[in-house]
Amino acid sequence: QKEVEQDPGPLSVPEGAIVSLNCTYSNSAFQYFMWYRQYSRKGPELLMYTYSSGNKEDGRFTAQVDKSSKYISLFIRDSQPSDSATYLCATGFQKLVFGTGTRLLVSP
Amino acid sequence: DADVTQTPRNRITKTGKRIMLECSQTKGHDRMYWYRQDPGLGLRLIYYSFDVKDINKGEISDGYSVSRQAQAKFSLSLESAIPNQTALYFCATSDFEVAGGTFNEQFFGPGTRLTVL
């Protein structure tokens, strides 16, 4: 079993839609959970992170962690074409483990 | 100026050739990493270094070697390239762990697209 599982997509939505991206993880000791965003031909960049269970909101983005089910989610409200990218979840200790990434396409 | 730079950005080579990918950073971070990214497999850790004298194998180190020439420089070598090493390679850096915590934001370079024929 992979330490982090993520649906690779692609996920296609119209502009303005609410997007839900999800990951599961296997190690219950993980405490920090990250979402990286990767545009085409670029390196990944940290979008946001959460610590332990709960929600964290940043503008149109909300990260959610449910440690009881080992489930990580990223919600995007009012999605924009500029949100089109690959989103990678990550967790770990000194070394990060990444999901495979979900490619999101937001059409105008 | 970019904080993490990688050279070359693109490289096409032949089976059996020795290839070196270079990474430099101006962030002053001690920790550096090399990943490869393949469709459907995501980012996989090849090697990582927590300081100049510390080199560690990652998930998929076979066929690769690294050199940490200075705090700011970390090179990845393919001693004898093979076609299944065709991939996108990323260098990343991070600072010390936050005191009392384990958050580990990594900062990535722009990547090197390597094709082995």
Side-chain angles (χ1 to χ4, degrees), chain A residues 35-55:
Chain A
W35 285 96
Y36 281 79
R37 180 172 60 192
Q38 184 179 16
Y39 289 113
S40 181
R41 298 186 181 85
K42 302 283 188 182
E45 290 182 309
L46 182 68
L47 180 61
M48 53 194 307
Y49 75 94
T50 54
Y51 174 74
S52 193
S53 281
N55 292 358

Side-chain angles (χ1 to χ4, degrees), chain A residues 32 34 36 38 41-44 46 49 93-96 98 100, chain B residues 33 35 37 40 45 48 50 90 97 102-106 108-109:
Chain A
Y32 284 91
M34 286 140 264
Y36 281 79
Q38 184 179 16
R41 298 186 181 85
K42 302 283 188 182
L46 182 68
Y49 75 94
F93 298 109
Q94 293 180 333
K95 299 178 296 177
L96 292 184
F98 287 84
T100 54
Chain B
Y33 310 80
Y35 293 90
Q37 187 174 38
L45 184 62
Y48 62 102
F50 283 175
F90 287 103
E97 293 174 1
T102 56
F103 179 59
N104 186 17
E105 179 179 0
Q106 294 187 12
F108 286 80

Side-chain angles (χ1 to χ4, degrees), chain A residues 23-39:
Chain A
C23 293
T24 59
Y25 64 96
S26 59
N27 189 335
S28 59
F30 290 148
Q31 295 281 19
Y32 284 91
F33 304 92
M34 286 140 264
W35 285 96
Y36 281 79
R37 180 172 60 192
Q38 184 179 16
Y39 289 113

Side-chain angles (χ1 to χ4, degrees), chain A residues 11-17 78-84 104-108:
Chain A
L11 178 62
S12 294
V13 301
E15 182 175 355
D78 188 24
S79 57
Q80 302 296 308
S82 58
D83 296 328
S84 297
L104 173 66
L105 303 171
V106 182
S107 54

